[in-house]
Amino acid sequence: KPPTGFLKLFFEAFKDTTVIILTVGAIVSIGVGIAEAFIGEESDCGDTSFQLISNFSHCGETLYESYNDMVHRYEIIEAEIAHLKELREAFIANNTGVPVPANLTNPNEYSKPGTYIEGIVIVFAVLIVAFVTAGNDYSKERQFRSLNDVKNDIRVKVVRGGDEHQVSTYEIVVGDIVVLESGDKIPADGIFIKGHGLAVDESVMTGEPDAIPKKEKAPFMLSGCQIVEGMGRMIVTTVGEMSEWGKIMKELSDDHDETPLQQKLATLAKNIGKAGFAVALVTLTTLFILWGIGIANKTARNDNIDWACEVQTVVGFFIISVTIVVVAVPEGLPLAVTISLAYSVRKMMKDSNLVRHLVACETMGGATNICSDKTGTLTENRMTVTEGWLAGNFYTSVPSTIKNDVDSKVLDYFINGIAVNSTASIGHDEVTKKPEFVGSKTECALLVLSDKLAYDYKKVRKDAIELQKVPFSSDRKRMSSIVQEGDKYVLYCKGASEMVLGLCNRMVNSAGEIGPLDASTVKELEAHIYRMADSGLRTLCLAYRENDSEDFGDDPETDMICLGIMGIQDPLRPEVPDAVERCKHAGIIVRMVTGDNILTAKSIARECGIFTDGGVAMTGPEFRVLSDEEKDKVLPKLQVLARSTPTDKLILVRRLRFLGEVVAVTGDGTNDAPALKEADVGMSMGISGTEVAKEASDVVIMDDNFSSIVKAVMWGRSVFDNVRRFLQFQLTINIVALAVSFASALLGQGTPLNAVQLLWVNLIMDALAALALATEPPTADLLERKPYGRKEPLISPLMWRHIIAQAVLQLVAVFFIMFGARNISIFIETEENMNTSVFGPHHACQTYQYTMVFNTFVFLQLFNEINARRINNEFNIFSGIHKNPFYLGVYAATSLLQALFVQFGGIAVETAPLRWDSWLLCIGIGVIGIPWGLIVRLFPYKRKGDTKAKTNQKKIVPVYEQKGDIESRFVVCSVN
């Protein structure tokens, strides 16, 4: 679907109710002003405010000796103007033809100008707000479309030039041969060429719930569908928008559901808006009462009432009230989380985290448990065969002297089992000229071994007549292929050592002689397996079985001949121990969940710091049979779950979530999809993961690296903190703006912050502050505190402390300038400038004073924006500020725009240019917010359950107080 255009988004911004009311009020104001101009009666409305408390001195009244003379002179001029108006009306009424004196063309020489300018400026401000809103929405949509492009970019195996390559789904062209396996997503429309037991889930396209087998008679493959069984190849016939899936996706919209944090903030913003509406209603009611008292007094005195002025006054009441609502509604809250999420998603991509669902950004920050795979996540997934047992001989170095020790026929079986019973391949990168491993890295290690033994696996594979292939699965933990070799048929099998060995009843020796696999030999082989596994090696057993016909019976993987057991080394990623330690400091429990042998799992887990003193290691079947009560007792200490199936992982995740934990789970196989879906955050592997696993996950770890998961935790916590920063900053503004507007109206002093100024504050504080505070990068300190969990409130008690403290400071400053500084020279206009002011002598003093109020209010917010960078009572609020050029740029731009607004706003925004000493005073008062915030931080605060890094791990309770039968089922680590 084409992206929404900027103009459409611009016009949609006007659908907001408050914006509509504000616009209508501004238009009415403009209309009244135009009507006055049209009839030639521009009225001087003067000061229309009415005081409930009337003992406030006038601006400059006691400071300047000539103030009363100036006001008196102004009143004489007003009287003369009124007399001239009467003369002009008489001339016009009598139609005497006497020319109107020139000085009557602009009789209100000293009246307050701009009866309709404010309306025009409000409309202009609304246009700016709509423009910024549309710009934010447009940018957000572009970012999410970019995210979708990356999210839909699937790596696909294709055959080009006889070799297998991995390419992007966007690079597939008609005529490509695509290699498909169980768990893959079909990237384009095509026709089935060959395969074994290939079945496709086409429910997304046809609604058919059953898997559809694909063969020569049913060859059509539809893009977007999943391979659920078998493997095969297809030739591409249609790609992109012309494919069946592409046609459907073209018609779908890219609407994005709100995340829980966005929903919470939207609700909070709505509640704050209701409070603002209540304040606005009280303010409007108060202003109407005061206005009514004024009208009543004028009527009692038989004064002439200028109804044009009164209409203008009433319109002004509505504009102020609606503006209060606009300022009170913190539109920036949803905007802040959107900006923070979009920013984090983009940065997380650079940290090898592809976020598929935005909710994962938030949830990862509250993760209390990470259940991680071993292979490729904790290890490098760089497999090498280092030890092995082959045909009766054990080798500590492979290939060593294998070719000299083993009969060539046995070696042929060994190489055929490696080459044919595999879906992996080794190519060469055209750019780097280095080997490119495609498919299972375990299988690639065996292919490298065959290459070292001087065998060409590609030729062996090409010459083989393959009849059937049963792919590897996490449940079976093995893979088998049946091939025809001359007049006989051979089944090759490889998989988990103890499982495949248990299916063998014979063995072959180095001379090629087949004999029984007796108990002593099995015990010897198991000792080799345990020794290699205890050294951290992954062990793999290879076996075969011969038959005179293609039919191997109902259970072909029995009565097999044990050929060899290989020990494959997969080095631990060097950064993993540090990453695991950082998780512990962050209060996160890391558990290894793997399909490997328990000895291998324990060895690797101990090496990377997961399996510690007093920890528990169990196998999946042992964990599975425990009751819920027994599981609950084991879970606090359970650190390793070996030989686990996807079902075991799902059981573990469900139980942890039932106990209130926030669980992140990694997975790469098709069968891992249920656990990935069940987890709070499902994390699939970008390199080794199947497309089914990726579709079920929330985050794709592009480099399959555990340290990338830790980075995801940091970004998740950063999103939550960034939103809190903006929330603390925004609520302070709302409290102060509402209190000032309400108190001023109640005291009959008008509103020191007019509609245009309030809109300006709303614009810079919502949009620009959201940009600045929502893009704070994560720091290492984020991993020095416990997770915030599921029920953490958006506004913590500590945040309320800072909000209230800053609001009190700002209210004191604003009210002092309004009521206590009316006769302090630095706060008001100079006497000599009053007569030359564009606002006229009667309004110049108060306009200057209210400009000081406005400017001080803004700079109090700007310096509080620095305070808001740290929300956990940190003393150094400037820490890392130089590392965020975006924040500094936005901050500088906001300050510059404020200066231009004040100095050059003039009549349009009712601001008087300030002198340099007044500017220094405004900035100086604003700076007070920083030491004031430091004083507030001096009062100690300890978050409930918060701990330092060294004690931040969850307390591990004893599994059992006494020895019992259940305890014998698992291994307790004891590090001496």
Side-chain angles (χ1 to χ4, degrees):
K1 185 178 179 179
T4 307
F6 180 83
L7 284 177
K8 184 176 180 180
L9 293 171
F10 179 76
F11 288 116
E12 285 181 352
F14 286 94
K15 294 180 179 179
D16 184 79
T17 305
T18 54
V19 171
I20 293 173
I21 296 173
L22 198 60
T23 305
V24 170
I27 292 173
V28 171
S29 178
I30 294 171
V32 172
I34 292 176
E36 289 176 352
F38 180 77
I39 63 176
E41 289 286 347
E42 184 176 352
S43 301
D44 174 26
C45 297
D47 187 1
T48 58
S49 64
F50 303 94
Q51 298 183 6
L52 284 181
I53 303 175
S54 58
N55 58 351
F56 292 118
S57 62
H58 292 289
C59 178
E61 181 177 2
T62 62
L63 180 66
Y64 302 129
E65 295 180 0
S66 61
Y67 178 83
N68 291 325
D69 292 338
M70 182 177 60
V71 173
H72 179 64
R73 185 170 66 253
Y74 179 77
E75 292 173 349
I76 293 173
I77 292 173
E78 279 189 323
E80 292 176 353
I81 289 173
H83 179 64
L84 292 173
K85 280 184 180 180
E86 293 176 358
L87 290 175
R88 186 181 67 168
E89 290 171 358
F91 288 142
I92 295 173
N94 297 326
N95 196 19
T96 58
V98 178
V100 178
N103 64 342
L104 291 184
T105 58
N106 184 21
N108 291 328
E109 180 183 356
Y110 292 105
S111 66
K112 184 179 178 181
T115 51
Y116 54 83
I117 285 180
E118 185 177 65
I120 295 174
V121 175
I122 290 173
V123 171
F124 183 70
V126 168
L127 290 175
I128 293 177
V129 171
F131 184 85
V132 171
T133 302
N136 285 327
D137 290 342
Y138 184 72
S139 175
K140 178 179 69 175
E141 183 166 344
R142 288 186 60 188
Q143 288 172 343
F144 285 133
R145 281 183 174 271
S146 176
L147 171 63
N148 281 333
D149 289 340
V150 176
K151 183 174 70 177
N152 296 327
D153 185 9
I154 303 169
R155 304 299 292 178
V156 182
K157 285 196 289 186
V158 299
V159 179
R160 292 178 179 174
D163 293 327
E164 290 186 4
H165 302 273
Q166 279 192 324
V167 300
S168 166
T169 187
Y170 296 121
E171 297 174 2
I172 294 177
V173 296
V174 174
D176 270 337
I177 295 176
V178 179
V179 181
L180 298 168
E181 300 176 12
S182 177
D184 287 347
K185 185 176 182 179
I186 301 175
D189 292 347
I191 296 176
F192 173 84
I193 299 176
K194 66 174 184 178
H196 301 283
L198 191 68
V200 180
D201 177 7
E202 296 184 348
S203 59
V204 294
M205 298 294 293
T206 64
E208 176 59 49
D210 298 327
I212 308 299
K214 293 298 175 181
K215 46 194 174 183
E216 289 78 4
K217 294 182 179 180
F220 297 106
M221 312 280 284
L222 299 177
S223 58
C225 300
Q226 300 280 353
I227 306 297
V228 293
E229 292 179 16
M231 57 190 66
R233 297 187 176 190
M234 76 170 198
I235 185 168
V236 176
T237 58
T238 315
V239 297
E241 294 182 357
M242 302 307 295
S243 67
E244 293 301 315
W245 181 253
K247 291 176 182 176
I248 293 175
M249 294 305 293
K250 188 177 180 180
E251 299 301 321
L252 295 179
S253 64
D254 285 331
D255 294 335
H256 306 282
D257 293 333
E258 287 188 333
T259 69
L261 186 55
Q262 286 174 317
Q263 292 171 354
K264 287 181 182 178
L265 286 172
T267 302
L268 179 62
K270 187 180 295 184
N271 292 336
I272 294 173
K274 290 178 180 177
F277 179 80
V279 173
L281 186 61
V282 172
T283 302
L284 180 63
T285 303
T286 303
L287 291 173
F288 262 114
I289 292 172
L290 295 174
W291 176 77
I293 293 172
I295 293 295
N297 290 336
K298 288 182 179 180
T299 304
R301 295 193 305 264
N302 293 322
D303 291 345
N304 183 36
I305 299 177
D306 190 337
W307 288 107
C309 273
E310 300 306 332
V311 171
Q312 191 79 14
T313 299
V314 171
V315 170
F317 292 165
F318 278 103
I319 289 176
I320 288 295
S321 300
V322 175
T323 306
I324 289 173
V325 175
V326 172
V327 174
V329 175
E331 297 94 342
L333 292 183
L335 176 63
V337 70
T338 300
I339 291 173
S340 187
L341 286 171
Y343 171 78
S344 299
V345 165
R346 188 169 65 252
K347 292 292 185 180
M348 286 175 73
M349 187 63 193
K350 294 181 180 180
D351 285 337
S352 300
N353 286 280
L354 171 59
V355 180
R356 299 187 71 256
H357 302 134
L358 285 178
V359 65
C361 279
E362 307 166 12
T363 312
M364 272 306 294
T368 59
N369 278 252
I370 297 178
C371 300
S372 174
D373 283 339
K374 177 184 78 68
T375 304
T377 308
L378 300 172
T379 60
E380 295 182 358
N381 205 16
R382 182 167 51 86
M383 307 287 193
T384 307
V385 180
T386 57
E387 299 181 22
W389 177 91
L390 179 63
N393 298 320
F394 185 80
Y395 299 91
T396 57
S397 178
V398 178
S400 185
T401 59
I402 287 179
K403 293 193 71 172
N404 299 327
D405 299 340
V406 179
D407 183 78
S408 59
K409 184 179 179 181
V410 176
L411 206 54
D412 286 342
Y413 279 120
F414 180 65
I415 297 300
N416 288 351
I418 289 174
V420 177
N421 190 29
S422 170
T423 58
S425 62
I426 302 175
H428 287 83
D429 191 285
E430 297 178 358
V431 178
T432 63
K433 305 300 181 185
K434 294 182 179 180
E436 181 183 28
F437 298 106
V438 181
S440 167
K441 299 301 185 290
T442 304
E443 292 183 351
C444 287
L446 295 175
L447 295 179
V448 170
L449 174 61
S450 70
D451 185 61
K452 290 180 179 179
L453 294 173
Y455 282 83
D456 185 357
Y457 81 89
K458 291 183 180 179
K459 184 177 184 304
V460 174
R461 190 177 289 178
K462 184 177 181 182
D463 293 341
I465 304 174
E466 192 173 5
L467 302 176
Q468 187 178 349
K469 183 170 286 186
V470 182
F472 176 86
S473 73
S474 300
D475 292 323
R476 299 175 63 253
K477 297 195 181 300
R478 59 185 180 273
M479 173 183 182
S480 298
S481 298
I482 298 176
V483 297
Q484 183 178 354
E485 295 181 359
D487 58 352
K488 61 182 178 181
Y489 299 86
V490 183
L491 178 147
Y492 292 104
C493 179
K494 72 171 186 292
S497 296
E498 61 269 34
M499 291 192 173
V500 175
L501 183 62
L503 298 173
C504 297
N505 60 2
R506 292 168 292 167
M507 61 167 285
V508 62
N509 61 24
S510 57
E513 299 170 346
I514 298 174
L517 188 62
D518 55 33
S520 62
T521 306
V522 171
K523 189 174 182 180
E524 179 187 350
L525 292 178
E526 287 177 344
H528 286 310
I529 292 171
Y530 292 155
R531 189 191 61 77
M532 288 189 288
D534 198 44
S535 300
L537 301 182
R538 164 177 281 191
T539 59
L540 209 65
C541 183
L542 292 89
Y544 73 99
R545 175 185 172 187
E546 294 181 326
N547 202 35
D548 295 331
S549 68
E550 183 180 349
D551 185 11
F552 280 77
D554 296 333
D555 195 3
E557 296 170 333
T558 55
D559 300 330
M560 294 190 293
I561 301 169
C562 183
L563 188 58
I565 298 172
M566 298 292 107
I568 302 174
Q569 184 182 48
D570 186 9
L572 184 72
R573 291 183 183 270
E575 64 273 18
V576 165
D578 178 63
V580 171
E581 188 64 25
R582 291 168 70 193
C583 283
K584 292 179 179 179
H585 278 243
I588 302 171
I589 296 177
V590 182
R591 310 174 195 268
M592 178 192 289
V593 183
T594 177
D596 270 351
N597 181 290
I598 189 169
L599 296 174
T600 305
K602 284 168 53 186
S603 176
I604 297 297
R606 187 181 292 111
E607 189 177 350
C608 63
I610 293 176
F611 195 38
T612 58
D613 189 11
V616 172
M618 299 180 70
T619 64
E622 292 169 341
F623 179 75
R624 198 183 313 150
V625 298
L626 296 177
S627 66
D628 288 342
E629 292 76 12
E630 291 170 339
K631 289 187 182 76
D632 294 346
K633 291 180 180 179
V634 171
L635 282 176
K637 278 193 171 183
L638 181 63
Q639 296 173 345
V640 178
L641 193 64
R643 283 293 182 235
S644 64
T645 65
T647 302
D648 299 325
K649 185 182 290 187
L650 179 60
I651 293 171
L652 174 63
V653 172
R654 281 180 175 167
R655 201 63 206 166
L656 286 171
R657 295 192 72 214
F658 176 80
L659 296 174
E661 304 289 347
V662 180
V663 186
V665 173
T666 68
D668 55 11
T670 300
N671 292 337
D672 286 327
L676 292 171
K677 279 286 188 183
E678 178 69 23
D680 293 285
V681 181
M683 313 185 85
S684 62
M685 300 296 107
I687 298 174
S688 60
T690 65
E691 287 309 313
V692 172
K694 292 176 185 177
E695 286 290 328
S697 66
D698 302 297
V699 179
V700 180
I701 308 300
M702 303 303 292
D703 59 357
D704 292 13
N705 194 334
F706 183 81
S707 64
S708 297
I709 299 174
V710 180
K711 292 175 184 176
V713 173
M714 288 180 61
W715 279 108
R717 295 189 177 189
S718 178
V719 167
F720 194 75
D721 276 10
N722 284 347
V723 171
R724 278 184 155 185
R725 289 184 179 104
F726 181 78
L727 194 57
Q728 179 174 304
F729 172 76
Q730 178 70 55
L731 288 181
T732 306
I733 296 175
N734 289 2
I735 291 173
V736 176
L738 292 178
V740 169
S741 299
F742 175 71
S744 300
L746 190 66
L747 297 174
Q749 297 298 298
T751 52
L753 304 177
N754 62 40
V756 179
Q757 292 168 358
L758 286 173
L759 283 174
W760 166 246
V761 170
N762 188 61
L763 176 65
I764 65 171
M765 298 312 166
D766 272 8
L768 298 181
L771 285 171
L773 292 173
T775 54
E776 280 285 320
T779 62
D781 293 342
L782 291 171
L783 296 180
E784 295 296 327
R785 63 174 190 259
K786 69 186 288 290
Y788 49 76
R790 294 185 186 276
K791 298 181 180 180
E792 182 81 2
L794 279 175
I795 310 174
S796 67
L798 181 60
M799 290 172 62
W800 276 120
R801 177 197 290 184
H802 286 287
I803 290 169
I804 294 172
Q806 290 294 332
V808 168
L809 171 68
Q810 294 179 19
L811 286 172
V812 169
V814 169
F815 284 138
F816 172 75
I817 298 175
M818 283 181 62
F819 302 116
R822 295 186 170 195
N823 290 288
I824 301 176
S825 60
I826 197 171
F827 289 99
I828 60 176
E829 186 65 276
T830 59
E831 186 175 6
E832 56 270 20
N833 288 340
M834 289 187 184
N835 286 323
T836 59
S837 171
V838 295
F839 296 98
H842 190 64
H843 298 282
C845 187
Q846 188 181 62
T847 301
Y848 194 96
Q849 180 192 10
Y850 279 5
T851 302
M852 286 287 292
V853 171
F854 168 60
N855 202 39
T856 302
F857 175 74
V858 170
F859 273 95
L860 281 165
Q861 311 315 321
L862 286 173
F863 285 102
N864 190 39
E865 190 174 322
I866 300 176
N867 274 318
R869 293 185 67 248
R870 294 292 177 262
I871 57 174
N872 292 302
N873 243 23
E874 301 95 330
F875 284 99
N876 188 2
I877 59 175
F878 296 98
S879 174
I881 196 171
H882 62 286
K883 297 180 181 179
N884 191 354
F886 191 77
Y887 177 91
L888 294 175
V890 171
Y891 195 89
T894 306
S895 302
L896 178 61
L897 288 173
Q898 173 64 15
L900 295 174
F901 192 92
V902 168
Q903 293 300 107
F904 303 103
I907 295 175
V909 296
E910 294 187 32
T911 57
L914 299 181
R915 302 183 304 275
W916 66 269
D917 57 339
S918 297
W919 266 104
L920 289 178
L921 184 61
C922 290
I923 296 173
I925 294 174
V927 171
I928 294 174
I930 291 180
W932 177 249
L934 180 61
I935 293 172
V936 175
R937 285 175 167 82
L938 289 174
F939 292 92
Y941 175 82
K942 185 176 179 63
R943 190 173 69 160
K944 185 179 180 181
D946 203 7
T947 54
K948 294 295 183 182
K950 293 183 179 179
T951 60
N952 212 18
Q953 283 181 269
K954 289 191 173 184
K955 182 180 178 182
I956 297 178
V957 298
V959 182
Y960 303 105
E961 294 182 1
Q962 297 180 350
K963 296 282 185 180
D965 293 335
I966 300 173
E967 192 173 7
S968 62
R969 302 183 196 173
F970 53 82
V971 180
V972 179
C973 178
S974 179
V975 181
N976 296 320

